[in-house]
Amino acid sequence: MGFSALMLSAAAAQQMSNGQQEYLNSCAVCHGVDGKGDGPMADVLRKRPANLTTLARRNGGEFPYWRVYATIDGRGLVPEHGERDMPIWGNQFLPDDVKKYGPYGGEAVTTERIQNLAGYVQTLQR
């Protein structure tokens, strides 16, 4: 294995662990540890959380990465497209990230957190 492949796999492993940690901190309470939509809060929500393990299957076998990213971020979604049941995580993450890293660094860190989450959700596919 070449050096670049080693770097890529190390980066992918770190991304996945960061994504998993973010998922467990922010998403599992509703979507469940395994992503099946059965978290401890699932029964008290108005609408049952999505089963994240079947996203690829429901999308013709291809994981809809950018749709998942946009759904998690939520800041680019148009209000006319209906009410959103999930938190707008881009808005949730950004204030603390800006406080820590400044306006540009904060946005970059928020973007990375959401990319890590979308990448982790991809690993949950069954």
Side-chain angles (χ1 to χ4, degrees):
M1 177 168 22
F3 179 72
S4 60
L6 184 62
M7 290 298 294
L8 180 63
S9 61
Q14 182 181 359
Q15 176 184 345
M16 288 308 130
S17 63
N18 289 344
Q20 181 177 24
Q21 183 179 5
E22 196 76 67
Y23 178 86
L24 293 173
N25 289 338
S26 303
C27 312
V29 67
C30 296
H31 289 282
V33 172
D34 297 327
K36 294 180 181 154
D38 58 357
M41 291 294 295
D43 291 333
V44 299
L45 297 172
R46 230 178 2 179
K47 186 177 170 196
R48 190 118 186 124
N51 179 343
L52 302 176
T53 67
T54 60
L55 293 171
R57 187 177 339 140
R58 290 183 278 148
N59 193 56
E62 189 172 319
F63 182 73
Y65 179 89
W66 289 109
R67 193 169 72 216
V68 170
Y69 177 93
T71 301
I72 294 168
D73 185 318
R75 294 178 289 176
L77 299 181
V78 182
E80 292 79 32
H81 291 174
E83 196 172 316
R84 181 178 167 93
D85 296 305
M86 194 171 99
I88 297 174
W89 289 105
N91 288 343
Q92 298 275 2
F93 294 152
L94 190 59
D96 286 340
D97 291 342
V98 166
K99 201 182 302 177
K100 265 190 202 167
Y101 305 103
Y104 299 111
E107 180 61 44
V109 169
T110 293
T111 298
E112 183 178 357
R113 289 172 75 178
I114 296 167
Q115 287 174 340
N116 288 343
L117 269 172
Y120 180 71
V121 170
Q122 187 169 7
T123 71
L124 297 175
Q125 302 311 293
R126 301 287 169 253

